[in-house]
Amino acid sequence: MTTTHTAAALAAPVPSPVEPLPNQLLTALGQHQMATTGQLHALLRPAVRRQTVNTPLNALRRQDLVDYTVLPRSRGTRAWYLTADGARMVKDFPALRGRPPYPITSTTAASLKTPHTLTVLRTHLAFVADARERGDEHGFLDWTPEVSHSLGDGEKIITDALMHYTLTGPGQRTKLRAFVEVDRTTMSSERLASKLIDYARLWSYEPQLVGRNRSRQPALPGPAWLRWYPAYPRILFALTGGSRQVLSNRISDLQAMTAQHPLVATMARTVPLGAAILDDVEAEGPTSDVWVPLSGGESRPWTEL
């Protein structure tokens, strides 16, 4: 009897640890809000033909789970996103629990989000490709767009992306985190540099719980970010959308803010800060000497800021 039960158990199908591609496509769109066919191909199945990704995308569209908008002046490039039905479906996916849904209700709404959203994902893809080549760990769920943190008094900071990255080597694993700001030169250089002040405020912010809240939820000693991170994430600025001179000037303004603002300067003593031109990051790789330390010094890999 024991032998029969053991044989039956061994013969039972074992669930695959690999998610089917349609599920991965829905998860990726739930995580990143929007992606072109080429970006999804590079993110999920870079070693196969693009049609392998395009076919299930069209099947998901027929099920009204995804839709697309055609990028202007792109020869028909499609940017895919979840429909309301798709967003409702993925909110219970284990990988996306706690992640707010981002349903897009029309191609007009999609077109308004397209430029920035796709550029943030473009930045992520540079890190993904570099990690694959190096043998590090950084996948499509290790990049979370639009992460929000409270600064107190009803204010908050929303970072373009929170990155998790694991450096691997012989007998060694180093976990790194970074707040990533992607600048398309759509705001003034001063406004861009002032984001460093918000990050410094988050670095120093210690919430004060009073009254009944104190007994229900005792405050952790130290700054609020310790609730989520063992060390404050490094801060990376990826710049695009202007000439090399314009982008270099914006990096200089970030360095000036780091040197001149007392709170930012204090943060910079312990938190690595860097900026790079996105074209250089893509061409040479994030672990090349393309990142300018905002505290001064020669360009270096983001891992060595």
Side-chain angles (χ1 to χ4, degrees):
M1 183 68 69
T2 302
T3 302
T4 303
H5 281 300
T6 302
L10 291 173
V14 178
S16 169
V18 179
E19 285 283 327
L21 181 54
N23 284 25
Q24 288 188 332
L25 290 167
L26 290 170
T27 303
L29 291 175
Q31 180 83 349
H32 299 286
Q33 306 180 38
M34 183 179 291
T36 66
T37 308
Q39 287 177 325
L40 290 168
H41 177 245
L43 199 61
L44 300 175
R45 294 292 189 277
V48 302
R49 294 182 304 116
R50 183 177 295 194
Q51 191 62 31
T52 304
V53 170
N54 204 40
T55 298
L57 279 172
N58 285 316
L60 291 170
R61 184 170 185 256
R62 289 192 294 272
Q63 298 171 51
D64 197 30
L65 297 175
V66 304
D67 205 347
Y68 65 80
T69 184
V70 176
L71 302 184
R73 301 179 297 279
S74 68
R75 297 185 178 181
T77 298
R78 296 176 176 182
W80 297 86
Y81 56 90
L82 296 176
T83 63
D85 286 345
R88 279 192 292 271
M89 174 177 284
V90 305
K91 71 181 179 64
D92 293 324
F93 282 14
L96 298 177
R97 283 176 187 157
R99 186 95 177 105
Y102 294 98
I104 298 174
T105 55
S106 69
T107 55
T108 301
S111 65
L112 295 174
K113 295 179 66 71
T114 298
H116 187 71
T117 303
L118 296 186
T119 306
V120 172
L121 181 51
R122 174 186 158 197
T123 307
H124 172 43
L125 286 171
F127 286 90
V128 170
D130 198 46
R132 285 180 181 139
E133 185 174 335
R134 292 167 47 87
D136 294 334
E137 295 178 12
H138 179 65
F140 74 95
L141 293 173
D142 294 321
W143 181 275
T144 309
E146 297 186 6
V147 173
S148 174
H149 290 296
S150 172
L151 298 175
D153 297 324
E155 296 184 76
K156 61 183 178 180
I157 180 173
I158 302 177
T159 186
D160 284 336
L162 169 66
M163 176 172 66
H164 294 265
Y165 193 104
T166 303
L167 291 169
T168 60
Q172 184 176 8
R173 290 167 56 81
T174 304
K175 294 185 179 297
L176 301 176
R177 300 158 199 83
F179 292 130
V180 183
E181 288 292 332
V182 179
D183 172 51
R184 297 184 297 114
T185 324
T186 55
M187 65 176 67
S188 71
S189 187
E190 181 177 356
R191 184 179 168 197
L192 174 68
S194 69
K195 288 191 172 185
L196 282 167
I197 301 175
D198 288 337
Y199 280 110
R201 291 175 61 198
L202 176 62
W203 173 76
S204 62
Y205 170 56
E206 296 190 24
Q208 301 297 318
L209 299 180
V210 296
R212 288 184 299 172
N213 287 336
R214 185 183 299 277
S215 60
R216 288 201 307 245
Q217 186 182 356
L220 293 174
W225 57 263
L226 283 170
R227 297 178 181 180
W228 302 283
Y229 313 110
Y232 195 77
R234 59 195 62 207
I235 302 169
L236 305 177
F237 289 82
L239 285 70
T240 187
S243 68
R244 186 163 290 271
Q245 184 61 55
V246 166
L247 300 181
S248 295
N249 289 342
R250 292 169 84 82
I251 293 175
S252 295
D253 290 344
L254 288 166
Q255 290 180 308
M257 179 65 77
T258 303
Q260 295 168 10
H261 193 281
L263 188 58
V264 178
T266 303
M267 175 183 70
R269 293 181 194 138
T270 56
V271 177
L273 313 175
I277 295 173
L278 181 53
D279 285 347
D280 295 341
V281 175
E282 292 176 313
E284 302 180 42
T287 47
S288 298
D289 295 337
V290 297
W291 296 90
V292 178
L294 298 187
S295 297
E298 297 297 319
S299 296
R300 63 198 66 178
W302 74 276
T303 54
E304 298 177 18
L305 288 168

